Amino acid sequence: MKTIQWFVDNNVDTFSSHPQLEEVAKLLQENEVVAFPTETVYGLGANAKSDAAVAKIYEAKGRPSDNPLIVHIAETGQLEELVEDLSETAKKLIDHFWPGPLTIILKRKPNVLSEKVTAGLETVAIRMPDHPVALEIIRKAQLPIAAPSANSSGKPSPTAATHVLEDLNGRIAGVVDGGGTGVGLESTVVDCTQEKPMILRPGGVTKEELEKVVGEVFIDPALENDKISRPKSPGMKYTHYAPNAPVYLVEGTTAFIQELIANKREKGLRVGVIATEETENVYQADVVSICGQRSDLKTVAHTLYDTLREFNNKDVDIIFSEVFPQEGIGLAIMNRLEKAAGHRWIHQH
Ligand code: AMP
Ligand code: MG
């Protein structure tokens, strides 16, 4: 399959003058899969009502079929067809955070969406992306669009169209290139089907921001257990977002990290390090990757996947990474870094 590439300018508000997006919408209506930019990462979209279309997403990504997809909409009016009545909490979250990087789990209406989207669950994950290109494509397609990140399963999510092509060229109908994404990490997933709202995945909207709107928000205990079990976890089980070389998260001073680097280099290994602007000149390693500014964690979120992905174009045997406080967007950053590292930690004592 030849993958078409369209270029759009995401700085203009209306895309009615972009005939390319008509073509994109038409392909979606014909049950093809197309990648497009959102404010979080690039999504791989398909008609969420069609089994055939959704099957193509799983096939192109090599995604396990028991991992349900997020359905993207462009207007709240689309909800009525898809889900049962909204709780007060869900309404508040929608009012406050849509369009934006917040996915809400709601009770689905039967027989509307492909069963493959929801992986057989009674619930569905829905979000409205805050990106003019994504919104315009969904509006023109007049469909709910299932869209996971547009990467091969296990690789870092794509924050540029070139990343999408690295993984999926020849496997999808096309990619809309709208430049770099904003947040750089996926949406926060919040379950609103129970009495208490619960974060199932940390992401672009922080727990603190959610709590300002709906009061106390809980974190899925499974996320915490994931952390507790980290030292014992066999690395292979968690290779999401992982570069080819093993990543180690280091809790310690920059001097301690430099010692680790020097030690490996003495043994003849090529060493990479994930640093920040603040520590740019501190390390002597074979590859020093600057992942944003520690004093502004949003910049770290924005750059993280590109940093992880870039290591595959560099020749390194091992990667050490600085770690970040698990507050605000730091919670999502550390969640992704832990997966990239297969929960391998080194602590300075
Ligand atoms: P991705 O498409 O890679 O951004 O991942 C979507 C995330 O949302 C995954 O962590 C899914 O497990 C989660 N998800 C999607 N639908 C549901 C649902 N109905 N209930 C719980 N989690 C969901
Ligand atoms: Mg993904």
Side-chain angles (χ1 to χ4, degrees), residues 61 63 149 151 157 186:
K61 283 181 61 88
R63 180 175 172 114
S149 51
N151 52 286
S157 302
E186 297 85 346

Side-chain angles (χ1 to χ4, degrees), residues 79-84 107-113 122:
L79 283 174
E80 200 185 326
E81 182 192 13
L82 304 176
V83 297
E84 302 291 355
K107 193 158 183 330
R108 71 175 167 89
K109 283 192 175 153
N111 308 322
V112 183
L113 294 165
E122 307 264 287

Side-chain angles (χ1 to χ4, degrees), residues 8 92 98 110 154 188 196 237 249 261 277 284 303 305-306:
V8 295
K92 278 190 199 158
W98 283 6
T188 302
K196 315 253 184 213
K237 204 174 157 197
L249 306 180
I261 296 169
E277 281 179 30
Q284 269 119 43
T303 327
Y305 286 143
D306 190 46

